[in-house]
Amino acid sequence: MMKLYGYFRSGTSHRTRIAMNLKQLDYESISVNLAQDEQLESAFKSINPQGLVPVLQASALEASKSETQDLVMFQSPAILEWLEEAYPQHPLLPQELTGRVKVRALSAMIGCDIHPINNRRILQYLRNELNVDESQVMAWCQRWISDGFTALESLLAQDKERGNFCYGNQPTLADCYLIPQVYSARRFKVDLTPYPNIVAIDKHCHTLPAFIEAAPENQADAPSS
């Protein structure tokens, strides 16, 4: 069984759980408590020297050698692409070339331009090194999430063939990226009123077991209410 090292509220862990659930893969979740900086301890950094989650441990058969190779993968974009190639059932990329580039672009908008600058280590630097107060940290998050969502909402509105998801009528990698970012937007009290398409996609995705089971509040390491 694959092992997924992550944290219940980590957006990158969240998107990886969604993808693995959509592909109906069995995996063991191993919590790395970011609030207690477990990702910086030597035990975890021996697995991923970058000290970030998620990390996926798996085995794969090397066709050229006909032998099983143990894999340790980090960086969620690389993990998601590997999952798509290693487990092509329940595909998360469209078959047509133009669809694939659109899904990858939507994913990159979130994964490259929104999420990283609201990542915990960035916010901790603002708080601890630059002495930014919490209201300013909140304003920082709201600014960059709103900027990204404004562009994303426009693209979604322009796609007249789009169904209930970011692209087409089936969940794709773009939805794996979007839903955790919507969760983060709500956490940082972003006004979602200007983004009806984003809100509708989020609502529809949360009717599907793969998204429900991946939600932060449904993880074993989530604090009890």
Side-chain angles (χ1 to χ4, degrees), residues 151-182:
L152 181 60
E153 178 71 18
S154 178
L155 289 171
L156 294 172
Q158 291 171 22
D159 186 355
K160 303 305 180 184
E161 298 181 358
R162 185 179 60 81
N164 291 318
F165 300 95
C166 287
Y167 180 87
N169 294 297
Q170 298 293 329
T172 67
L173 287 179
D175 302 289
C176 297
Y177 278 82
L178 176 62
I179 300 314
Q181 193 60 62
V182 175

Side-chain angles (χ1 to χ4, degrees), residues 48-100:
N48 180 9
Q50 197 176 14
L52 297 173
V53 294
V55 170
L56 182 64
Q57 288 185 333
S59 297
L61 184 67
E62 282 201 279
S64 60
K65 299 179 181 178
S66 297
E67 62 184 30
T68 300
Q69 179 188 29
D70 291 330
L71 302 174
V72 178
M73 294 166 277
F74 46 91
Q75 288 293 337
S76 62
I79 293 173
L80 296 184
E81 290 282 353
W82 180 83
L83 288 170
E84 184 70 358
E85 294 176 2
Y87 300 94
Q89 68 272 25
H90 310 293
L92 299 178
L93 285 170
Q95 290 187 345
E96 67 277 12
L97 187 61
T98 54
R100 295 168 82 89

Side-chain angles (χ1 to χ4, degrees), residues 14 37 55 59 77 98 106-107 115 139 169 180 210 213 217:
H14 189 177
D37 288 330
V55 170
S59 297
T98 54
L106 295 174
S107 301
H115 173 266
N169 294 297
E213 293 166 8
E217 63 271 19

